[in-house]
C-alpha cells in the first residue's frame, strides 16, 4: 500500500524560518513568535536587543529574514538596515 502525502498539508520543513529578531521588548518578541507559529512556521530564532549583539549575530550566522523593531534605546531600524545591507545585503529586512 502506497500512501501519498496530501497536497494540502503544510510542509513544515519549507516553513522553517531562521530569523534574527532585533527587539528590546520581551512582550513584543513573544507576540511576534506567537503570530508566526500560529501561521504555521517553525522558528529558529535569534533574539538580540542592541546594536552590538545585532552586528555580532549577523557576522555569526546566515538568516532567512531579519525582523527589527523601529526604535530601540540608542539604535533604530535605519541603523540596523544599514548594518544588514553591508553584512548580508541579500537577506530580507522587515521593520516592525
Amino acid at each position: 500500500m502506497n500512501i501519498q502525502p496530501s497536497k494540502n498539508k503544510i510542509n513544515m520543513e519549507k516553513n522553517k524560518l531562521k530569523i534574527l529578531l532585533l527587539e528590546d521588548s520581551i512582550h513584543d518578541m513573544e507576540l511576534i513568535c506567537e503570530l508566526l507559529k500560529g501561521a504555521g512556521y517553525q522558528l529558529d530564532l535569534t533574539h538580540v536587543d542592541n546594536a552590538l549583539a545585532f552586528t555580532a549575530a549577523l557576522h555569526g550566522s546566515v538568516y532567512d529574514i531579519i525582523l527589527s523593531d523601529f526604535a530601540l534605546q540608542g539604535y533604530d531600524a535605519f541603523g540596523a538596515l544599514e548594518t544588514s545591507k553591508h553584512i548580508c545585503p541579500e537577506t530580507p529586512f522587515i521593520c516592525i
Side-chain angles (χ1 to χ4, degrees):
M1 176 186 231
N2 186 4
I3 299 175
Q4 297 284 329
S6 169
K7 290 183 182 180
N8 294 331
K9 278 190 173 180
I10 295 174
N11 181 343
M12 291 309 286
E13 189 61 35
K14 283 186 178 179
N15 288 324
K16 186 171 187 176
L17 288 176
K18 186 166 184 174
I19 299 171
L20 176 57
L21 176 60
L22 174 60
E23 175 60 68
D24 58 353
S25 165
I26 296 297
H27 175 72
D28 289 349
M29 179 201 67
E30 291 171 347
L31 181 61
I32 291 165
C33 290
E34 237 178 80
L35 290 169
L36 289 169
K37 288 178 182 178
Y41 291 99
Q42 289 182 335
L43 306 181
D44 179 357
L45 182 81
T46 300
H47 172 239
V48 296
D49 63 2
N50 62 65
L52 187 60
F54 180 71
T55 303
L58 290 175
H59 283 294
S61 192
V62 175
Y63 298 93
D64 296 318
I65 192 165
I66 299 166
L67 302 177
S68 175
D69 188 3
F70 181 76
L72 301 105
Q73 188 164 359
Y75 200 48
D76 63 20
F78 295 117
L81 177 60
E82 284 302 314
T83 300
S84 69
K85 282 170 48 177
H86 285 288
I87 299 170
C88 55
E90 70 289 342
T91 304
F93 182 99
I94 296 175
C95 178
I96 303 170

